[in-house]
Amino acid sequence: MKKIKVKYPTFKGNFTESVLKNRNMTKEELWRNMSSIEPPQNIHGAMEAATRIADAVRNGEKIALYTDYDADGFGCGVVFTELMRQIPYNDFIVFYNKRNMGFGMNTKGIDIIMARQPDTKLIVTSDNGIVAFEAVDYAKSLGVDVVITDHHIPDESGKLPDAIAVVDPHKDGETCKFQELCGTGVIFKVMALVFYLLGISSKNLNDVIDIVAVATIADVVPLRGDNRILAKEGLKRMSQECRPQWKAFKQLGSVYNPLVSFKSKDVGFFVGPCINACSRMSGDISEPMKAFLDTPEPDVHEAITKLTKVNEVRKTIQRTRTAEAMAYVATCNDRFVLVDMAVCEEGVVGLVAGNICNTTYKPTIVLSKDENGNWKGSGRSIPGVHIKELLDIVNKTHPGVLVGYGGHSQACGLTVYDGKVDELRRALNEYCDKHFDEELFNETIVVDYVLDNPAELPRLFSEKCAMEPFGCEFTEPIVMVKFKPENTRIVKEGKHLIFEYKGIEIISWNSGYHIEGQNVANIEEVVAIGTIESGQSLNCQPELLSIKFANN
């Protein structure tokens, strides 16, 4: 369905050098460790925030952490709680937004906090708050100080909430070198300064680096700079089973694949989704918070099992809704895909949009009816199409279409007035047709290395493992291999192909159409482009597979 353009390597270096060059990363950045982390005081406002928190601890004031309901918000809650307990200080609560309350700190959430802990004197936000103008003013009217820690984009006017301190690496005029931390990374750095001010050893911070790593990978922030260092160190600690939850995830992960050590892919496709599934299905993160903070060790396996079962339910719903949406997409030739569905659970609508975007390589929005009769949903985009800026333009040129929206370059959330969906669809596509070249909607696959012999895969796999972690802005290496298979297996009733060569398997799912009407014994050459999954296998998309037959 999508168009793919392949760029072949021109660089003549070795495998690792080619991967680094294609991702604009140096060997120095690849091998940095915790000693290279940028000092937390470099973030504007971080010391002021830490000072207010430290003063609250010294004065015995009641504190509330106001966090979000996704994996990053979960990470903020766990990091803050564990580090406060280490001080030790227990006069605090963690309040996490529920999905039905909307995004970010709001007056309703503050009222709940004050009902739970009436003498609260300080609210610290994490992973939200940068545009909570009304809520901050409301808290101040109640005599409550607010410290904002966030990583989202501030209001386009540059205005900031009137808080005691605002910590956000994306603020105008920010001078810190690395500005792409997730929310957990920001609160982690602020708490590092709190420890410094209270005279607590920084070694204690190591106990939560695994949680920072999970949030960093799950929130899909660039795995460069400090994020890369924190993710790498955290994955190492997870593999060492620094807490019983990781042992449980290993055991449960082995149901699908042997999970001996944690890699970024295990977090991105297993651990992170299990944490996020609870918020997607029930609207809050109470279950994963409880599983990591307040579950006795003998009960941990059962608690993590519960998370995986919720995730299985989520996956089933997501598959169903994606199939329903794709039925419309199959008839659509628009550059910007907008699907309005009678029913699509709010917790999976963004995932469905992501599935469609990945399949079609087109920016995509999926909407469903909300309780007010409007259309609410999420969007995902492709490189070169800044979906939030596109909505900014539509909101100015077509007033009265959008109830509200927010997001960043590659993802958005929005609500559309009833009866205005078609106008939004037309506006988005008119802009894309006028301002974007057709070439932009062709996915570009950059091949890092060409193999003439699949038997070299074990060596490349070893080099690949040394370059972990992979993720946003440091994607997995892409390899092209040319060979004549010794044997070809057709599995799942002709649906999938597995090519064998000296103990190596080249696997291509949903590729059976490549051999229709042909005898596999006549295969003369296979050209496959894909990712190295192990020392013995390479996975290839069907669009990146080419088969030459002797009789052709």
Side-chain angles (χ1 to χ4, degrees):
M1 185 176 291
K2 61 183 175 182
K3 298 177 181 178
I4 295 178
K5 176 183 177 182
V6 177
K7 286 183 66 175
Y8 298 97
T10 56
F11 181 67
K12 300 300 183 182
N14 63 34
F15 177 61
T16 297
E17 289 173 342
S18 180
V19 171
L20 295 179
K21 185 175 187 301
N22 285 338
R23 287 150 188 78
N24 194 29
M25 182 177 285
T26 64
K27 286 187 177 180
E28 179 190 9
E29 185 177 359
L30 182 69
W31 300 116
R32 284 175 186 161
N33 55 32
M34 290 295 292
S35 65
S36 300
I37 290 281
E38 184 175 6
Q41 61 268 30
N42 284 13
I43 306 176
H44 186 265
M47 185 59 80
E48 290 85 350
T51 298
R52 181 63 186 91
I53 297 170
D55 286 346
V57 170
R58 293 189 187 101
N59 298 331
E61 296 176 287
K62 293 188 183 298
I63 304 170
L65 182 77
Y66 197 128
T67 191
D68 197 18
Y69 56 83
D70 63 358
D72 194 11
F74 153 85
C76 294
V78 174
V79 165
F80 185 82
T81 298
E82 291 198 348
L83 294 181
M84 290 295 279
R85 287 174 177 176
Q86 283 192 26
I87 287 174
Y89 192 76
N90 294 306
D91 277 344
F92 71 95
I93 61 172
V94 174
F95 174 78
Y96 37 84
N97 243 356
K98 294 191 176 184
R99 190 176 62 233
N100 60 12
M101 293 175 60
F103 174 76
M105 185 168 73
N106 52 60
T107 57
K108 183 178 179 180
I110 293 172
D111 284 339
I112 296 172
I113 287 173
M114 300 309 292
R116 283 179 56 190
Q117 187 174 257
D119 296 329
T120 297
K121 295 299 180 185
L122 174 63
I123 294 176
V124 180
T125 75
S126 59
D127 194 32
N128 76 97
I130 195 62
V131 292
F133 307 110
E134 180 186 3
V136 170
D137 291 342
Y138 180 64
K140 288 174 63 180
S141 74
L142 300 176
V144 179
D145 287 344
V146 179
V147 164
I148 302 290
T149 77
D150 200 352
H151 74 121
H152 292 95
I153 304 297
D155 187 81
E156 61 182 351
S157 68
K159 179 183 177 182
L160 299 173
D162 188 18
I164 292 292
V166 178
V167 188
D168 188 328
H170 291 292
K171 287 190 309 185
D172 287 347
E174 181 59 67
T175 57
C176 65
K177 294 179 181 178
F178 188 74
Q179 302 179 357
E180 299 298 333
L181 294 166
C182 67
T184 306
V186 175
I187 195 70
F188 172 76
K189 287 203 169 189
V190 170
M191 289 304 294
L193 290 174
V194 172
F195 272 38
Y196 167 75
L197 293 171
L198 295 176
I200 301 170
S201 173
S202 61
K203 291 182 179 179
N204 295 29
L205 298 169
N206 293 333
D207 293 343
V208 297
I209 288 177
D210 57 324
I211 302 297
V212 179
V214 168
T216 297
I217 296 167
D219 212 45
V220 201
V221 289
L223 284 188
R224 308 189 75 97
D226 286 5
N227 286 341
R228 178 171 188 81
I229 296 168
L230 291 164
K232 187 174 183 178
E233 181 64 25
L235 288 168
K236 182 170 70 176
R237 292 181 61 80
M238 290 168 68
S239 297
Q240 295 168 347
E241 299 177 10
C242 61
R243 62 180 82 221
Q245 287 80 2
W246 304 134
K247 181 177 181 180
F249 268 115
K250 274 187 180 181
Q251 293 168 341
L252 292 164
S254 65
V255 173
Y256 311 100
N257 289 295
L259 189 49
V260 178
S261 62
F262 285 94
K263 293 183 171 56
S264 52
K265 184 178 290 187
D266 300 312
V267 173
F269 292 96
F270 182 39
V271 176
C274 286
I275 293 170
N276 270 326
C278 292
S279 67
R280 293 187 183 282
M281 304 312 298
S282 64
D284 68 57
I285 55 168
S286 57
E287 287 299 327
M289 290 280 286
K290 181 180 177 182
F292 275 78
L293 288 172
D294 299 311
T295 301
E297 186 166 343
D299 301 328
V300 164
H301 192 279
E302 180 181 352
I304 299 301
T305 299
K306 186 175 181 180
L307 301 186
T308 64
K309 289 181 177 178
V310 174
N311 191 45
E312 289 302 313
V313 173
R314 186 273 307 168
K315 287 196 288 187
T316 299
I317 295 173
Q318 180 183 341
R319 282 193 293 267
T320 300
R321 299 305 181 215
T322 298
E324 293 169 352
M326 287 302 295
Y328 164 78
V329 175
T331 66
C332 171
N333 293 317
D334 291 344
R335 283 187 173 180
F336 196 113
V337 177
L338 194 158
V339 185
D340 49 315
M341 303 179 67
V343 177
C344 187
E345 290 77 2
E346 188 175 347
V348 302
V349 67
L351 300 175
V352 174
N355 290 154
I356 296 171
C357 182
N358 291 337
T359 301
T360 63
Y361 203 70
K362 295 178 179 180
T364 301
I365 287 175
V366 176
L367 301 172
S368 184
K369 278 280 190 176
D370 68 10
E371 64 275 11
N372 298 316
N374 293 316
W375 294 85
K376 188 175 183 180
S378 294
R380 299 293 184 268
S381 196
I382 59 175
V385 180
H386 195 301
I387 197 166
K388 163 63 165 55
E389 291 181 354
L390 191 49
L391 290 176
D392 288 337
I393 293 168
V394 170
N395 194 42
K396 291 176 181 177
T397 58
H398 293 73
V401 170
L402 296 171
V403 178
Y405 65 96
H408 51 78
S409 65
Q410 298 301 289
C412 72
L414 72 165
T415 302
V416 183
Y417 284 109
D418 189 32
K420 296 294 185 178
V421 172
D422 287 339
E423 184 176 348
L424 176 62
R425 182 184 287 113
R426 286 194 299 272
L428 291 169
N429 277 286
E430 285 172 2
Y431 188 90
C432 288
D433 290 343
K434 183 177 181 180
H435 296 278
F436 297 132
D437 293 334
E438 178 68 29
E439 189 75 10
L440 185 65
F441 299 88
N442 295 338
E443 182 177 10
T444 299
I445 302 293
V446 179
V447 176
D448 294 297
Y449 201 72
V450 177
L451 281 176
D452 292 320
N453 184 354
E456 290 187 60
L457 272 181
R459 174 180 63 81
L460 296 194
F461 180 68
S462 178
E463 289 189 43
K464 173 193 167 183
C465 290
M467 288 187 278
E468 283 276 355
F470 297 100
C472 180
E473 294 192 12
F474 192 71
T475 53
E476 288 200 38
I478 302 293
V479 172
M480 182 172 77
V481 58
K482 300 179 181 180
F483 67 105
K484 181 177 182 178
E486 296 174 340
N487 183 46
T488 300
R489 288 157 47 206
I490 307 169
V491 298
K492 205 72 179 284
E493 299 177 348
K495 193 174 182 181
H496 312 310
L497 301 178
I498 300 177
F499 305 98
E500 298 176 343
Y501 181 89
K502 298 187 185 305
I504 305 294
E505 292 185 338
I506 310 298
I507 304 167
S508 188
W509 310 112
N510 302 307
S511 295
Y513 64 88
H514 280 283
I515 61 166
E516 288 180 357
Q518 298 284 352
N519 185 341
V520 295
N522 293 329
I523 294 178
E524 191 171 90
E525 182 184 69
V526 170
V527 178
I529 298 174
T531 56
I532 308 168
E533 297 302 309
S534 73
Q536 287 76 43
S537 66
L538 180 142
N539 277 2
C540 170
Q541 295 181 42
E543 301 93 340
L544 298 174
L545 177 69
S546 175
I547 303 175
K548 181 180 179 180
F549 292 90
N551 57 347
N552 284 354

